[in-house]
Amino acid sequence: SGDDIEDAVKSEMSGDTRDAFLGIVRVIKDAELYFAEELYKSMKGMGTNDDKLIRLLVWRSEIDLAEIKECFEVLSKGKTIESFISGDCSGDYKRALLALC
């Protein structure tokens, strides 16, 4: 099962290599959920990881952003990507990000 692969990676690897392989496994298992989690992490808490937010929105906007948005809403307990962006960003930057959504 997929948990066996993750367990094997966790027990056999460490550091950045471990993180990279775990990311690959997570994308293979459920790409939309993986990207929703990464978007959530980019905006959760104090401050926004702007580089990560921009990269993910631009990269996924024409591929599977609609599905990612659904996963995001579940992760964030009903809040939308748009509401996170509106709360964390402002001005033309906010308008540009919302246009991608």
Side-chain angles (χ1 to χ4, degrees):
S1 78
D3 290 337
D4 296 332
I5 293 170
E6 286 185 56
D7 291 340
V9 169
K10 288 175 185 175
S11 68
E12 298 296 325
M13 298 178 178
S14 63
D16 291 340
T17 302
R18 174 183 174 219
D19 294 343
F21 273 86
L22 286 173
I24 292 167
V25 170
R26 288 176 51 218
V27 168
I28 290 169
K29 288 172 68 176
D30 190 339
E32 289 84 12
L33 179 59
Y34 172 79
F35 291 117
E37 289 170 344
E38 293 301 308
L39 277 167
Y40 182 75
K41 286 190 245 178
S42 76
M43 294 183 281
K44 186 179 105 180
M46 292 293 289
T48 300
N49 183 335
D50 294 308
D51 291 340
K52 185 181 230 181
L53 176 60
I54 293 166
R55 185 175 59 249
L56 289 169
L57 284 178
V58 169
W59 182 30
R60 306 313 294 186
S61 65
E62 293 183 0
I63 300 170
D64 55 0
L65 189 58
E67 293 84 5
I68 292 169
K69 287 168 66 172
E70 290 174 15
C71 290
F72 184 96
E73 202 166 326
V74 172
L75 285 173
S76 64
K77 297 176 176 64
K79 293 185 89 178
T80 64
I81 290 175
E82 292 88 351
S83 68
F84 266 74
I85 291 170
S86 293
D88 284 3
C89 306
S90 62
D92 291 338
Y93 175 58
K94 176 174 93 173
R95 283 188 285 284
L97 292 176
L98 290 173
L100 289 170
C101 292

